[in-house]
Amino acid sequence: MLNKYARAFFTRVLTPFAAFLIRRGVSPDTVTLIGTAGVVAGALVFYPRGEFFWGTVVITLFVFSDLVDGNMARQLGRSSRWGAFLDSTLDRVADGAIFGGFALWYAGRGDDNVLCAVSIFCLASGQVVSYTKARGESIGLPVAVNGLVERAERLVISLVAAGFAGLHAFGVPGIQWLLPIALWIVAVGSLVTLVQRVVTVRRESAEAEAAARAGAGEVAQ
């Protein structure tokens, strides 16, 4: 749902900024690299120290590069396999840094091994969820399922919760529990999404093989 509606809204909002960067001679790949570097820095510098509010502010400023670079490529008419590959690969890097930052906090000053493990599970499951779709498509299957919690949902739930949880440092009581709740939601949602995609790939694979056998039978006749 977020991919369908939020992405369309922010694409319209960011189109003038993308056009400005094009006029300045900035390439889409440069925006992708800078955006990823900013997200990684925000996550690994602030989150392990428990500075969730400022870390989320920095990450949010850079995370929109994922929309800006694609917008620029479309305006330039230069969408390419390389650009899609770079964008997808660096998305995984950024996601890993965010949940890695949470894990480092809970492994250190946050002192909660369970939440550290949940953060690591969110990191790993997010990577696997993306892999299942990419691998399914690479063997010729449509993988026609979105799933309960995709990348947009993982980021929005985690970053919003982290940002609000960071207000605890400014004296807002009890709000720090939003982040643990969000991590559990993302972990469970990612597991459900993984199961949905595996089941879908199994079904589509069986259907494709049945269709291939039926086609071979008709040829033999």
Side-chain angles (χ1 to χ4, degrees):
M1 184 172 64
L2 285 172
N3 275 331
K4 181 178 180 181
Y5 296 107
R7 180 176 288 270
F9 170 76
F10 283 111
T11 295
R12 289 194 299 271
V13 171
L14 295 171
T15 293
F17 180 61
F20 169 79
L21 293 178
I22 291 172
R23 291 195 298 271
R24 294 294 178 179
V26 180
S27 72
D29 287 352
T30 299
V31 173
T32 302
L33 291 167
I34 292 174
T36 302
V39 171
V40 170
L44 297 184
V45 170
F46 292 96
Y47 283 175
R49 297 188 297 182
E51 297 178 6
F52 295 119
F53 177 79
W54 293 115
T56 301
V57 169
V58 172
I59 290 170
T60 302
L61 290 175
F62 285 99
V63 80
F64 286 105
S65 66
D66 188 45
L67 297 177
V68 174
D69 56 6
N71 193 309
M72 293 172 66
R74 286 189 294 275
Q75 290 189 46
L76 290 168
R78 293 198 330 222
S79 296
S80 64
R81 291 184 177 89
W82 161 249
F85 170 81
L86 180 66
D87 189 56
S88 180
T89 299
L90 293 184
D91 281 350
R92 307 288 84 75
V93 173
D95 294 358
I98 290 170
F99 290 104
F102 293 145
L104 288 171
W105 162 251
Y106 287 116
R109 290 168 55 192
D111 193 24
D112 193 318
N113 289 336
V114 172
L115 288 176
C116 176
V118 172
S119 299
I120 293 172
F121 180 82
C122 289
L123 190 163
S125 61
Q127 308 293 328
V128 176
V129 164
S130 297
Y131 173 79
T132 54
K133 186 172 181 65
R135 183 61 178 137
E137 291 175 343
S138 74
I139 58 176
L141 300 175
V143 195
V145 61
N146 289 325
L148 180 64
V149 176
E150 294 191 315
R151 183 173 187 257
E153 286 81 7
R154 289 196 302 271
L155 287 180
V156 170
I157 292 170
S158 302
L159 294 178
V160 169
F164 278 111
L167 295 176
H168 180 70
F170 297 93
V172 180
I175 203 166
Q176 71 274 16
W177 291 106
L178 285 177
L179 180 56
I181 292 170
L183 289 174
W184 277 107
I185 291 173
V186 170
V188 173
S190 296
L191 179 60
V192 172
T193 303
L194 177 58
V195 172
Q196 288 177 305
R197 289 194 172 175
V198 170
V199 169
T200 298
V201 169
R202 180 177 175 82
R203 174 178 53 79
E204 292 177 348
S205 177
E207 290 172 351
E209 291 171 1
R213 286 194 296 268
E218 291 177 1
V219 170
Q221 292 174 2

